[in-house]
Amino acid sequence: RQQAAALGLRLANLGVQFSEVYASEATRTHDTAAICCKELAGDHEIRVIDTRFNEQGYAEMGICEIAMGAWTGKDKKDCATAEVNAARESDAWEWKPPGLSHDEQLEGESYRDVEERFLAFLEDQVLSTPALSTEADPKGKEPVVAIFSHHAAIRCALRPIVEASPRMLSPKLNLKNTSITEISYDAKTKGRKGGWSLVRVNDHAHLEGLGC
């Protein structure tokens, strides 16, 4: 909560205003968004994004954290045996935790699964929102959309944007709580320079001195 308030104060001092605010269905992301937005001028409706599943029960759109299957709620040290770690290292992008979660009976996800559903959210929800239409703002001010998501989910979403190796980005990028990762979208430029691009990642200057 201290971190979320510090984030909000930092954005307020920068004069940031959000056109849209999204949060996953997890309570912690909605709370983080609410605390952050409380520090900003104006009213911000927080749109909770429920994960969308297909007929086979696989998540096909959403920004929630990676599903851990039968590992859900357990200590990872008890699950990640030497055999499991070896299998994971052999194909970190496609590997997924075994079994079903106890409460929701959901299968575990691979990094690839999370990447695909997060990108589907960006394409289906974010890019289609009226706030992103430059015609909607007579001043031509570029809209800023906030997405309050999760550690692994954000890492997975970044991989295709920066065209990184799955073995580099997902396991190696350590994001701090409430850190800012910023991407931009250029619809006018064609080719490799158009579309999504990375502006900054893991910017957590507002946490300095907090001691948390």
Side-chain angles (χ1 to χ4, degrees):
R1 292 179 181 275
Q2 287 180 283
Q3 293 169 334
L7 171 63
L9 285 172
R10 180 185 179 188
L11 296 175
N13 289 333
L14 294 173
V16 173
Q17 284 294 298
F18 295 134
S19 305
E20 299 282 350
V21 179
Y22 299 97
S24 79
E25 58 262 67
T27 301
R28 62 187 182 275
T29 53
H30 187 277
D31 287 352
T32 300
I35 294 170
C36 173
C37 290
K38 186 178 180 180
E39 304 293 340
L40 304 178
D43 296 324
H44 291 86
E45 177 186 358
I46 301 171
R47 299 176 59 184
V48 176
I49 302 300
D50 294 322
T51 304
R52 186 176 69 201
F53 296 88
N54 59 24
E55 295 180 353
Q56 289 72 40
Y58 294 104
E60 61 179 7
M61 193 278 288
I63 57 176
C64 62
E65 184 58 296
I66 186 171
M68 298 303 290
W71 287 18
T72 304
K74 297 182 179 180
D75 191 325
K76 187 179 290 187
K77 295 179 181 178
D78 297 331
C79 302
T81 63
E83 182 179 1
V84 167
N85 286 335
R88 192 173 191 176
E89 284 297 318
S90 67
D91 192 352
W93 197 39
E94 297 285 4
W95 181 90
K96 60 183 65 179
L100 302 175
S101 61
H102 182 267
D103 294 331
E104 299 177 310
Q105 294 294 291
L106 296 177
E107 289 193 4
E109 291 182 298
S110 65
Y111 286 145
R112 178 174 183 164
D113 293 332
V114 180
E115 172 187 311
E116 290 179 349
R117 64 168 166 79
F118 205 117
L119 287 184
F121 163 76
L122 293 177
E123 297 292 334
D124 297 347
Q125 299 291 313
V126 175
L127 293 185
S128 65
T129 182
L132 292 185
S133 172
T134 54
E135 297 177 357
D137 188 344
K139 297 181 181 180
K141 186 177 180 180
E142 293 185 358
V144 179
V145 175
I147 303 171
F148 290 83
S149 184
H150 301 266
H151 186 262
I154 295 171
R155 290 184 298 160
C156 291
L158 287 179
R159 191 211 66 80
I161 291 174
V162 299
E163 300 180 359
S165 163
R167 296 187 64 84
M168 185 282 288
L169 193 63
S170 294
K172 298 295 185 181
L173 182 58
N174 184 25
L175 301 175
K176 298 290 187 180
N177 288 341
T178 73
S179 65
I180 301 169
T181 293
E182 182 180 358
I183 57 176
S184 65
Y185 189 81
D186 182 356
K188 297 179 180 179
T189 303
K190 304 303 180 182
R192 289 174 54 83
K193 291 188 177 181
W196 291 108
S197 61
L198 180 63
V199 178
R200 55 178 162 166
V201 63
N202 197 29
D203 180 351
H204 54 277
H206 52 281
L207 300 182
E208 294 179 4
L210 278 186
C212 61

